């Protein structure tokens, strides 16, 4: 029944149904798969039908579940924050590589933290890391704080409501940012724009307005030999490289690709 209901709105109706069932029944997905004839008890059937109806009406599954997994950890989610995407794992991998090969560089910031999926994962993987998580939306910071508590990294983190880096006075070894980078006009036709917060997606007229403003702030806050990791849209590498070279002339810039071979991450190293 779930499969049939979800097919028109989902590419993965079987998986979605299993996730909804495992949430309602309080069992793992493996358990669901090995118990095809399980019966609902009490209010479970009502809850399942209500959740199914929300998905059918176009609500994203992670918001219906109230969580999503990213980099092997479960993150609380509400429609106030972006659903973490698998391609952002590239940023995590590169950040961890930098931090593990530079054990003396332990001051980091995650700008536009959303649910905290970047900052919390980095803090959990690197127990002596200090990381500031910023967002312009107070609702996002509330969710990020909850996730920091859930993953026992609250004491490593600071939460700041800020427009980019504006109120911060520090020298960061590592600056991570996955900021909105979709051009406003493109959002009109995208399903994600109806499901997820506009403030997490809208990069202004050319998609690069927020990134452009960030680059101007970076020279004052990036430590010598510090690194910036910036997620970008697949067709933005050239334009962002030009912005970086103008804003931070003493830098080395590299473009990295995601698993699908698309340009996804800009790595900016400040020369000494
Ligand atoms: C693309 S989402 C990324 C969320 C999360 N870091 C992730 O990777 O899934 C962008 C986030 O940046 C925040 N944001 C937008 N404009 C901002 C600004 N000027 N300063 C700080 N955060 C901003 C949004 O509220 C949103 O949480």
């Amino acid at each position: 029944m779930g499969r049939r209901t979800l097919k028109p709105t989902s590419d993965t109706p079987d998986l979605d149904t299993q996730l909804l069932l495992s949430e309602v029944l309080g069992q793992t997905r493996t358990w669901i798969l090995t118990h095809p004839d399980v019966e609902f008890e009490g209010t479970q059937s009502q809850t399942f039908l209500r959740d199914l109806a929300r998905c059918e009406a176009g609500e994203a599954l992670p918001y219906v579940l109230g969580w999503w997994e990213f980099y092997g950890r479960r993150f609380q989610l509400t429609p106030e924050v972006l659903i973490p995407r698998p391609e952002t794992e590239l940023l995590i991998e590169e950040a961890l590589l930098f931090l593990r090969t530079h054990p003396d560089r332990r001051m980091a910031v995650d700008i536009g933290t959303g649910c905290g999926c970047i900052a919390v994962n980095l803090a959990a993987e690197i127990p002596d890391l200090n990381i500031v998580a910023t967002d312009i939306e107070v609702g996002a910071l509330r969710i990020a704080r909850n996730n920091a508590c859930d993953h026992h990294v609250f004491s490593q983190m600071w939460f700041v409501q800020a427009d980019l880096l504006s109120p911060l006075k520090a020298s960061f070894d590592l600056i991570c940012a996955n900021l909105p980078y979709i051009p406003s006009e493109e959002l009109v036709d995208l399903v994600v724009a109806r499901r997820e917060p506009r403030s997490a997606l809208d990069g202004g007229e050319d998609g690069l307005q927020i990134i452009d403003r960030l680059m101007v702030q970076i020279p004052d806050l990036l430590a010598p030999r510090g690194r910036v990791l910036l997620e970008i849209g697949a067709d933005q590498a050239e334009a962002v490289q030009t912005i970086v070279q103008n804003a931070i002339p003493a830098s080395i810039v590299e473009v990295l690709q995601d698993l699908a071979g698309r340009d996804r991450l800009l790595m900016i190293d400040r020369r000494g």
Side-chain angles (χ1 to χ4, degrees):
M1 171 195 184
R3 185 176 196 282
R4 230 179 315 120
T5 310
L6 296 178
K7 213 165 171 209
T9 52
S10 170
D11 297 334
T12 53
D14 288 327
L15 174 68
D16 296 4
T17 308
Q18 289 154 17
L19 286 168
L20 288 173
L21 280 173
S22 59
E23 190 69 10
V24 169
L25 297 171
Q27 299 287 353
T28 63
R29 207 153 67 78
T30 315
W31 190 94
I32 300 294
L33 288 170
T34 51
H35 294 76
D37 298 324
V38 66
E39 306 242 325
F40 288 127
E41 285 172 12
T43 56
Q44 286 173 340
S45 139
Q46 277 162 279
T47 309
F48 179 65
L49 291 175
R50 186 202 59 204
D51 290 352
L52 215 48
R54 285 175 65 186
C55 292
E56 197 184 9
E59 214 174 319
L61 176 71
Y63 295 141
V64 175
L65 293 169
W67 58 267
W68 202 239
E69 257 188 31
F70 175 77
Y71 206 73
R73 292 188 172 84
R74 186 182 276 214
F75 285 84
Q76 289 184 34
L77 292 184
T78 71
E80 291 161 288
V81 291
L82 190 89
I83 300 161
R85 303 295 203 271
E87 53 266 30
T88 302
E89 296 200 352
L90 177 64
L91 192 158
I92 303 277
E93 296 286 0
E94 288 301 323
L96 290 176
L97 194 62
F98 175 80
L99 293 167
R100 287 182 178 137
T101 50
H102 297 82
D104 56 330
R105 316 303 298 260
R106 287 294 180 260
M107 194 64 208
V109 60
D110 170 28
I111 310 164
T113 198
C115 71
C117 60
I118 295 174
V120 168
N121 268 311
L122 295 183
E125 296 288 328
I126 308 284
D128 60 345
L129 182 70
N130 302 298
I131 186 156
V132 178
T134 80
D135 206 289
I136 202 159
E137 299 290 341
V138 72
L141 288 170
R142 187 172 41 78
I143 310 292
R145 264 194 211 97
N146 290 349
N147 283 316
C149 290
D150 286 354
H151 294 290
H152 313 292
V153 293
F154 192 78
S155 62
Q156 287 169 259
M157 296 181 63
W158 288 265
F159 299 86
V160 183
Q161 187 182 11
D163 180 6
L164 302 175
L165 292 163
S166 51
L168 301 178
K169 305 245 178 311
S171 176
F172 292 106
D173 302 309
L174 177 66
I175 297 179
C176 302
N178 178 16
L179 287 161
Y181 53 70
I182 303 177
S184 309
E185 242 181 40
E186 280 180 28
L187 280 175
V188 180
D189 300 322
L190 295 181
V191 175
V192 286
R194 292 193 289 278
R195 294 177 159 189
E196 296 180 65
R198 195 174 179 102
S199 56
L201 298 166
D202 192 344
E205 202 179 331
D206 59 356
L208 299 175
Q209 288 182 358
I210 301 175
I211 288 174
D212 204 354
R213 283 200 298 117
L214 172 67
M215 287 307 147
V216 175
Q217 298 181 357
I218 281 194
D220 288 338
L221 290 134
L222 182 63
R225 292 176 298 107
R227 177 165 291 180
V228 179
L229 294 169
L230 176 73
E231 186 167 316
I232 54 168
D235 57 353
Q236 293 175 334
E238 207 178 308
V240 183
Q241 271 176 295
T242 306
I243 293 173
V244 173
Q245 255 127 27
N246 289 332
I248 324 167
S251 63
I252 302 162
V253 186
E254 199 180 323
V255 182
L256 305 179
Q257 284 78 36
D258 61 21
L259 288 175
R262 285 185 291 246
D263 290 346
R264 184 59 63 201
L265 191 69
L266 225 65
M267 187 164 89
I268 306 159
D269 281 339
R270 183 174 207 163
R271 293 202 188 101

